[in-house]
Amino acid sequence: MWGEVEVQKKDIYQFHKGLPGFEEETEFALIPWEDTPFSYLQSVREKDLSFLLVSPFTFVSDYSFELSEVDKEELEISEQVSVYSLVTIHSQASKSTMNLLAPVVLNPQKCLGKQVVLHQSIYETRHLFWSEDEEQAKSVKGGV
């Protein structure tokens, strides 16, 4: 779909348990979408399988959660960690969402990744990028 993309080894992450629903896919390349806050998580084995990601902090500045000790051990996290949310694009862009309940957590030092499901969390799987209030404010100001 995107044509051939050259990926460096440092951009390939091992997901030992795959992703929910795609447990057999354990290697993904993280490919930045130039000049946007988005990236693609592209299966190394299955060319037609990719996910759109975004840093949740770009849209939800107070987003936070505690990573369990089990997840920290599994990802071999000592210092660096990257957090992304899976994006669902809606035909009406203002209704597009990101999954804050199950972030994709990456250890860039060890090239390990996991989608972590947060338990007892206030977050949801379909968090709108923009609140309706922001959308109405844009419309009143003549924005999109």
Side-chain angles (χ1 to χ4, degrees):
M1 183 174 171
W2 306 108
E4 283 198 26
V5 177
E6 193 169 315
V7 177
Q8 295 182 16
K9 186 172 175 145
K10 69 176 181 59
D11 296 324
I12 297 177
Y13 285 81
Q14 300 297 316
F15 284 71
H16 294 303
K17 296 179 182 174
L19 292 170
F22 301 93
E23 289 79 8
E24 67 286 348
E25 299 297 324
T26 58
E27 284 189 317
F28 289 89
L30 183 65
I31 304 168
W33 185 357
E34 296 299 321
D35 302 320
T36 76
F38 300 96
S39 296
Y40 287 96
L41 194 61
Q42 173 65 53
S43 168
V44 171
R45 193 175 63 126
E46 187 60 52
K47 67 179 172 84
D48 294 330
L49 180 64
S50 67
F51 300 93
L52 184 60
L53 302 177
V54 70
S55 168
F57 308 105
T58 303
F59 296 94
V60 183
S61 59
D62 62 346
Y63 181 67
S64 68
F65 62 90
E66 191 70 34
L67 201 57
S68 74
E69 288 303 317
V70 171
D71 290 328
K72 286 180 190 175
E73 285 177 28
E74 191 174 316
L75 291 167
E76 299 178 33
I77 292 174
S78 57
E79 291 178 25
Q80 288 188 332
V81 65
S82 299
V83 177
Y84 292 91
S85 291
L86 291 168
V87 174
T88 301
I89 300 296
H90 191 278
S91 58
Q92 189 176 344
S94 64
K95 294 190 179 192
S96 294
T97 61
M98 61 186 149
N99 183 342
L100 297 180
L101 186 63
V104 173
V105 180
L106 303 177
N107 177 341
Q109 293 170 309
K110 301 278 186 165
C111 292
L112 295 173
K114 180 180 183 181
Q115 186 173 16
V116 176
V117 178
L118 305 176
H119 299 284
Q120 300 172 356
S121 172
I122 60 167
Y123 300 115
E124 54 195 353
T125 59
R126 292 191 174 109
H127 181 88
L128 289 171
F129 279 90
W130 300 278
S131 69
E132 289 182 20
D133 294 340
E134 288 172 330
E135 282 301 308
Q136 288 173 350
K138 284 181 188 175
S139 296
V140 170
K141 294 177 186 172
V144 182

